[in-house]
Amino acid sequence: MAFNLAINNDIAVITFDDGKVNAVGFTLIQQFNDALDEAEKNAKAVVLHGGEGKFCGGFDLSVMKADDKAKQHELVSKGAELIVRLYSFPLPVIVAAEGHSIAMGAIMLMAADLRIGKDADTKYGLNETAIGMVLPPFGMELAKTRLANTSQTEALLFSRIYQGVEAVKAGFLDAAVPQDQVLATAMGYAEKLKMLPRASFAESKLQLRNETIERMKAQGH
């Protein structure tokens, strides 16, 4: 896993790229939390970048499809804590998603403040129903507040996977641009959003999202 945090001009860029689908396991969650600790101290905005042509394919299936239920429970719980942290983070969180963002990857999109994705040939969505799983309650609470009302049934019950402008319409992305512009577009927004006064931004975010955050915490995993 090539994981990197670089802070320049008050923007923390967190890049995670395992050369495959960037599955979320225990190590990646810990790396994210350590990087967010650093960003909270030394930055004014955060950009999450899954590397060239990628974002995140979901939880680590080597854990989720194994027989150790306790380990699965622990991974989903730690994942839930990370998502709550991102959704309530005191700095603007911008995602540059150049590639597929499925399951936990799509939940990460919904937890961010601004999401820039690719305009074609890239899958964004929640496929849990289609693969015989149920979206964890913390993800369902987030989806109910972040996805367009008109898209919730097809996204959550029918496991529809979206591309480009359709992903924008559904609420997984805020903009879809050519792949070579994804990171640059996200950085451009970060440059603007870092100018917002931190205290008022953080307080307004909590006021806006507090009810959903409390429900996510109450649901745990």
Side-chain angles (χ1 to χ4, degrees):
M1 164 66 74
F3 188 98
N4 184 60
L5 168 67
I7 301 178
N8 293 299
N9 298 321
D10 296 322
I11 298 171
V13 179
I14 298 172
T15 305
F16 54 107
D17 184 352
D18 64 1
K20 293 178 271 189
V21 298
N22 293 336
V24 177
F26 292 106
T27 301
L28 182 58
I29 290 171
Q30 185 60 54
Q31 289 173 316
F32 264 125
N33 277 310
D34 291 346
L36 291 171
D37 289 345
E38 188 73 21
E40 204 164 343
K41 288 192 205 102
N42 298 311
K44 295 180 179 176
V46 175
V47 173
L48 304 181
H49 182 224
E52 187 177 338
K54 298 192 270 310
F55 189 62
C56 175
F59 277 121
D60 184 349
L61 290 179
S62 71
V63 175
M64 300 305 291
K65 297 211 162 179
D67 294 329
D68 190 337
K69 298 295 181 195
K71 208 163 190 181
Q72 291 169 12
H73 184 277
E74 184 187 359
L75 181 58
V76 174
S77 292
K78 286 186 180 301
E81 290 167 8
L82 175 62
I83 292 298
V84 169
R85 184 177 188 187
L86 284 171
Y87 192 55
S88 56
F89 202 63
L91 307 179
V93 178
I94 302 105
V95 162
E98 292 187 26
H100 302 322
S101 309
I102 302 295
M104 181 61 167
I107 296 174
M108 287 175 67
L109 294 181
M110 295 189 296
D113 299 319
L114 193 70
R115 298 78 46 89
I116 311 301
K118 186 180 163 191
D119 63 358
D121 303 324
T122 299
K123 298 173 181 175
Y124 301 97
L126 298 160
N127 67 341
E128 277 79 1
T129 304
I131 60 172
M133 299 176 77
V134 177
L135 188 66
F138 75 90
M140 189 66 80
E141 290 297 339
L142 194 53
K144 285 192 285 190
T145 193
R146 289 293 268 157
L147 297 183
N149 288 339
T150 50
S151 298
Q152 288 183 14
T153 295
E154 62 182 19
L156 299 168
L157 302 187
F158 305 160
S159 284
R160 177 170 171 191
I161 301 299
Y162 301 85
Q163 294 186 357
V165 293
E166 291 296 318
V168 175
K169 189 176 166 189
F172 288 107
L173 298 176
D174 295 294
V177 300
Q179 184 181 325
D180 61 0
Q181 295 175 27
V182 171
L183 182 56
T185 302
M187 293 299 292
Y189 278 111
E191 285 289 347
K192 294 187 182 81
L193 294 174
K194 76 178 187 182
M195 309 302 286
L196 292 169
R198 176 172 177 151
S200 58
F201 177 85
E203 180 60 30
S204 295
K205 184 188 272 194
L206 286 180
Q207 285 196 29
L208 176 66
R209 299 179 174 174
N210 195 46
E211 289 180 20
T212 302
I213 290 166
E214 290 307 313
R215 286 198 299 271
M216 290 166 74
K217 285 180 178 175
Q219 301 277 15
H221 64 281

